[in-house]
Amino acid sequence: MNVFAAIGRVFLAFLGETGRLCIFMADAVSAVLRPPIYWSLIFKQMMRIGYFSLPVVGLTAFFTGGVLALQIAIGTDRYNAGAYVPQIVAIGITRELGPVIAGLMVAGRVAAAIAAEIGTMRVTEQIDALTTLATNPIKYLVVPRLIAAVISMPILVAIADSIGVFGGFAVATQKLDFTGAIYLKNTIDFITHQDVSSGLIKAAVFGFIIALMGCYNGFHSRGGAQGVGAATTDAVVSASILILAANYVLTSVLFSK
Amino acid sequence: MTAKVELRGVKKRFGPKVVLDGVDLTIAQGESLVVIGGSGTGKSVMIKCVLGILKPDAGQIFVDGKEVTRLSGRARDAMLRKFGMLFQGAALFDSLSVWENVAFGLIQGRGMAKAKARDIAIEKLAKVGLGPEVANLSPSELSGGMQKRVGLARAIAADPEIIFFDEPTTGLDPIMADVINDLIIATVKDVGATTLSITHDMVSARKIAGRIAMLYRGKIIWEGPTAQIDTSGNAYVDQFIHGRAEGPIKMEVRR
Ligand SMILES: Nc1ncnc2c1ncn2[C@@H]1O[C@H](COP(=O)(O)OP(=O)(O)OP(=O)(O)O)[C@@H](O)[C@H]1O
Ligand SMILES: [Mg+2]
């Protein structure tokens, strides 16, 4: 009996949380469409979300591309398929690893920062103060972050794709027996428009998830420093899980024939 | 006189804890009302209910005779433009400079040009005893009392019709407290604002209040003109204004 009660409670709590998140999302999205639009805030957030994530995302993309090339060369020894390193690196990075790794890195960096900032504003009554100054906190805080993340992430991933492919290039030309010209030619001949654009669409969705989870958890944080800490953790964990889940769904939708 | 703000039977509870248990309170146009009451009796919760930051569980709130209890969206923003609010903890935006804090309502709420809003902000800062040199500092670089005064400048920046001051003199030295008292009196006299102040500081209360109301156990148990506070005949009020540990109000402390 108690077991059922416990399961029921968890289930109801989950439903409640999902409902609150959906309402929050609906509020935020409808606020995107209504004026005023705070351009300078959007720009500031793009710097924080996109520009300052470049080093982290660039480095991880480089090593990911490199290790991918290495693994393919080692792993395909058995089939004599080592010649396909450029193609597999290109497809792996643009379709999956570029967006997912950038998404997870930015989730760690940005979702946490957003949740901590908005959470602190919540517990110090700054959000209430916004309201009393006739400024909608959703419009002022959430919308600029959502827009900035949705715009920044595809740009970030496009850069990450290039750096990732370059990481593969570096390993292939230094450690494997590729010449630079052949590696590049194989990559360019092979890669399609859809490989890249599917990754960029994913990136935009991941950006939305990151900003939404950061804002949502910050907005609903309760009770001082501890509450803000919990909100920060929840933001990163939930954003990461949702990114991986969304990645699966998007892959099956984008590549369904 | 017409009521500027009116609370009718406002109730608010957090879980099992009843904080407001049917508050009835009227603030007349141009009046300066002071609400006193022990720590944790729900004074801050009461003004947050009026502003719609907290939703009351029951009861109605009227501003200028119109019910505002369940307003939302633009109608609510329009209602809030009549208000200025000093939060107990100042609640300054730490991502903005001091002058941007003070000018926030002017720039975001009313679309005023930045340069003009900055001039007004500097002028309001001067009224709370802060010079132009603090204007470009960030709130975290100020002392607690200075933050409070910036919050005060922000509350009065847009010359609102109704201003709520949550403990305006707490954390200030006695001289600065009196400067703030004079400022509150001046905003009521000169601008014709209606104010509701919460305070524990009886010196300040006597000075700024036209009328005093006392909140206890979720209800207004006494209200009357400031001159009658010493002859209220109410044991709770007497104990509070004289700050006696012994009396009908039992502090929840275990010894
Ligand atoms: N958001 C909230 N969630 C739960 N309980 C709350 C919340 N806000 C206030 N309370 C509770 O309501 C009661 C009244 O709080 P309030 O801040 O109004 O007190 P106050 O009269 O302003 O006290 P003080 O003079 O110390 O500022 C407190 O016991 C507090 O625990
Ligand atoms: Mg209070």
Side-chain angles (χ1 to χ4, degrees):
Chain A
M1 187 57 214
N2 261 334
V3 177
F4 289 118
I7 293 173
R9 243 195 311 280
V10 169
F11 185 65
L12 285 180
F14 174 75
L15 285 186
E17 192 71 19
T18 311
R20 270 192 294 279
L21 177 62
C22 288
I23 293 171
F24 185 80
M25 187 167 84
D27 276 357
V29 171
S30 70
V32 168
L33 306 171
R34 274 180 285 126
I37 298 172
Y38 299 106
W39 294 108
S40 62
L41 290 180
I42 295 175
F43 180 75
K44 193 167 138 196
Q45 291 302 328
M46 281 182 70
M47 294 301 283
R48 291 176 55 183
I49 297 172
Y51 186 71
F52 292 120
S53 296
L54 267 177
V56 180
V57 169
L59 276 172
T60 43
F62 181 81
F63 289 119
T64 308
V67 82
L68 191 56
L70 206 56
Q71 281 286 17
I72 296 162
I74 298 166
T76 56
D77 246 6
R78 290 167 259 177
Y79 305 100
N80 256 342
Y84 293 112
V85 170
Q87 288 88 332
I88 302 176
V89 167
I91 226 180
I93 290 286
T94 54
R95 284 189 176 190
E96 290 296 333
L97 292 170
V100 170
I101 286 188
L104 293 178
M105 294 313 287
V106 176
R109 238 193 116 253
V110 173
I114 293 178
E117 188 182 9
I118 295 186
T120 305
M121 292 186 75
R122 164 62 77 199
V123 300
T124 56
E125 301 187 321
Q126 292 178 50
I127 293 186
D128 296 337
L130 273 179
T131 314
T132 63
L133 293 163
T135 302
N136 180 345
I138 300 261
K139 277 218 73 85
Y140 187 79
L141 295 174
V142 178
V143 169
R145 285 167 173 77
L146 273 181
I147 294 179
V150 170
I151 297 175
S152 308
M153 273 299 285
I155 301 174
L156 208 52
V157 166
I159 296 169
D161 284 353
S162 320
I163 295 176
V165 168
F166 176 72
F169 173 88
V171 168
T173 52
Q174 299 305 311
K175 287 205 64 171
L176 312 172
D177 301 329
F178 279 89
T179 65
I182 288 182
Y183 191 97
L184 282 185
K185 185 174 184 313
N186 283 353
T187 302
I188 292 164
D189 285 351
F190 182 74
I191 205 160
T192 65
H193 183 260
Q194 197 204 11
D195 294 331
V196 178
S197 63
S198 69
L200 299 186
I201 292 170
K202 284 180 177 180
V205 174
F206 297 168
F208 182 82
I209 290 173
I210 290 166
L212 184 74
M213 296 321 289
C215 292
Y216 172 78
N217 285 290
F219 243 78
H220 291 84
S221 56
R222 289 275 171 276
Q226 205 178 5
V228 175
T232 309
T233 311
D234 289 349
V236 176
V237 171
S238 58
S240 305
I241 294 173
L242 282 176
I243 283 174
L244 294 174
N247 184 47
Y248 181 84
V249 175
L250 284 171
T251 300
S252 53
V253 171
L254 288 168
F255 295 99
S256 67
K257 289 274 150 56
Chain B
M1 256 195 232
T2 57
K4 192 77 181 167
V5 179
E6 186 179 356
L7 289 82
R8 270 191 219 157
V10 171
K11 295 189 180 182
K12 179 72 191 174
R13 61 197 287 175
F14 294 102
K17 182 175 175 128
V18 176
V19 177
L20 301 180
D21 191 18
V23 172
D24 295 299
L25 192 65
T26 307
I27 316 172
Q29 165 75 47
E31 176 182 43
S32 173
L33 176 74
V34 166
V35 173
I36 57 175
S39 190
T41 47
K43 305 180 298 296
S44 298
V45 168
M46 183 181 80
I47 51 179
K48 283 180 191 169
C49 284
V50 176
L51 293 167
I53 294 169
L54 293 171
K55 299 275 174 244
D57 302 325
Q60 292 167 299
I61 292 154
F62 298 86
V63 173
D64 284 327
K66 271 197 303 200
E67 180 167 6
V68 299
T69 326
R70 269 164 264 288
L71 278 189
S72 65
R74 275 174 211 283
R76 179 160 176 237
D77 283 350
M79 186 272 283
L80 285 168
R81 277 198 194 90
K82 296 181 185 174
F83 284 87
M85 164 82 183
L86 165 66
F87 284 83
Q88 192 169 355
L92 300 179
F93 306 126
D94 41 29
S95 59
L96 301 177
S97 67
V98 164
W99 82 263
E100 286 171 317
N101 264 282
V102 177
F104 193 92
L106 299 171
I107 296 172
Q108 303 296 347
R110 285 148 220 254
M112 186 185 284
K114 274 203 169 180
K116 190 170 169 220
R118 190 173 197 278
D119 291 343
I120 295 179
I122 304 266
E123 175 202 322
K124 301 289 176 186
L125 283 170
K127 286 198 174 175
V128 296
L130 293 171
E133 68 279 0
V134 303
N136 287 321
L137 297 180
S138 114
S140 58
E141 295 172 277
L142 304 180
S143 75
M146 288 163 90
Q147 290 181 3
K148 195 91 196 210
R149 285 186 275 156
V150 174
L152 201 69
R154 185 174 71 183
I156 61 171
D159 295 324
E161 297 169 36
I162 310 162
I163 317 177
F164 290 171
F165 299 106
D166 198 345
E167 308 201 0
T169 56
T170 308
L172 303 182
D173 65 76
I175 301 170
M176 190 46 74
D178 205 48
V179 171
I180 299 305
N181 289 337
D182 288 338
L183 174 72
I184 294 174
I185 294 168
T187 37
V188 174
K189 271 224 190 83
D190 306 345
V191 191
T194 306
T195 62
L196 187 162
S197 313
I198 291 172
T199 188
H200 300 291
D201 173 357
M202 285 314 297
V203 178
S204 168
R206 286 171 196 276
K207 185 155 181 190
I208 62 180
R211 220 153 51 84
I212 296 182
M214 176 151 170
L215 186 66
Y216 180 69
R217 293 249 164 109
K219 289 198 172 73
I220 299 291
I221 54 158
W222 182 83
E223 58 182 307
T226 311
Q228 290 175 16
I229 186 94
D230 292 306
T231 54
S232 65
N234 185 311
Y236 295 90
V237 176
D238 278 343
Q239 186 193 349
F240 189 86
I241 64 175
H242 295 113
R244 296 195 198 101
E246 302 302 319
I249 305 176
K250 296 279 178 275
M251 283 292 155
E252 283 155 8
V253 284
R254 290 210 193 103
R255 295 181 203 218

